Amino acid sequence: MRLHWHRRDLRLADNRGLADAPERPIGLFVFDDDVLTHAGTPRVAFMLDALEALREAYRARGSELLVRRGDPAAVVPETAVGYDAEIVSWNRDYSGLARERDDRVREALDTTDTTPQQFHDAICHEPGSITTNAGDPYSVYTYFWKKWRDREKDDPRSVPTLAETAREDEPVPSLSALGFDEPDADVPAAGPDAARRLLDSFLESEVCRYEEARDYPAQECTSRLSPHLKFGTIGIREVDARVRELLDETAGERRESVESFRSQLAWREFYAHVLYFNPEVVAANYKTYPNPIEWENDETLLGAWKRGETGYPIVDAGMRQLREEAFMHNRVRMIVASFLTKDLLIDWRRGYAHFREFLVDHDTANDNGGWQWAASTGTDAQPYFRIFNPMTQGERYDPDAEYIKTYVPELGDTDPAVIHTWHERTPIERANAAPDYPEPIVEHSERRERALEMFERARDGDGE
């Protein structure tokens, strides 16, 4: 028998470790308190739903998903010995902490008669397999994408024959049992069935207008697959294979749109490679400046940003969507991140920590990459002197203020022209238009100049 240790692969289909290792498997999931310490409630709620679906899939095939809690370095070997497992398989994770954990588990298994086997599964191409001609990992996405796009992909894996075993009485724990309250947000359904419904719906319609509509949050032209890719309730090879099939059937602008969506899968993988080779970026700038960046970190401004009470409508809509849905549209993520770092002059790590707490799809590599891009400290980053104007961004990507009004009801009866010039209105005009909506907490043009000065002090003496 084999024990397959699930982590970010909460599915049976297209699971390389589950399908490629010898011996028939049963499943194991371990709640690691070191991981739960950094987990947000929406993410844990989604994961528990996915685990219930995974256990039912095992049981439907006469097998079982074992659920345990504790240090994996102790729990995994103990469970393997208890079930006389000859092999323990698992799929690799790419953060520094995950690799350290896996090393400890492998060392612990070496003291037993159980053989550890690790597999590459979460992304299409293993870190180190796509490099520059000099053999170095890429720090610029465009060149990575060109090689990723043309590199042959593995086929999705079928569900293997599982080992038959009796059901166990240990239930999947509740949120409260893990120390979490019920989430305030509406957490989406988890599990492979939910993921495939989203993929089917997206590929049947929205993907063919993705290129033109993806930046407009009111149009909802995104796949919403991100939490499923995060937790592996659908395999990346399955998604990419479906997208490639559609590319072969599509031409012209529609094909370009499908290709644009596929490039987002490559972005996800690019950031995973960056994290693998630079694990320190979780807490440190990828791009260093000669001098420290003098973030101001005003707690009052940070609190207003978190609550969605900045007086900048598109920013507040995004922050409130985050609270209500544990999700935020990608264009708006860039806007609110730029606003925090360039208008409020607050360290990107503060924003990253807030997203980690509230996003259902929080992914260390992706979120870190996005935040550092916005803060001008990351790979391929937004140059520090290109600073989003939040009012212009709102007018451009939500011209009718449809998205804004959805999440900022105080502005529900306000003319879009007024909303998009909110910062230019007098206090009396703002009070008459929307008396319950807050005044702007900063003046964008003034803060833009301060941001430029802050970065110029940081880069002073770098020779440029």
Side-chain angles (χ1 to χ4, degrees), residues 400-401 405 409-420 422 433-435 437:
D400 298 325
K405 291 184 179 186
E410 304 98 301
L411 295 172
D413 296 326
T414 308
D415 189 290
V418 174
I419 290 174
H420 295 315
W422 190 254
Y437 186 63

Side-chain angles (χ1 to χ4, degrees), residues 214-231:
R214 66 188 177 96
D215 278 326
Y216 297 85
Q219 296 196 32
E220 287 286 350
C221 191
T222 58
S223 72
R224 293 278 187 140
L225 283 171
S226 51
H228 296 279
L229 291 171
K230 151 70 182 180
F231 285 102

Side-chain angles (χ1 to χ4, degrees), residues 135-171:
D136 299 320
Y138 278 107
S139 61
V140 176
Y141 167 75
T142 305
Y143 303 119
F144 177 91
W145 157 240
K146 290 177 180 178
K147 287 189 177 179
W148 186 95
R149 177 187 58 198
D150 298 331
R151 188 71 56 89
E152 185 176 353
K153 308 288 187 287
D154 281 351
D155 292 328
R157 301 300 199 267
S158 300
V159 179
T161 302
L162 306 178
E164 295 184 6
T165 189
R167 294 188 179 192
E168 70 167 26
D169 296 330
E170 187 70 25

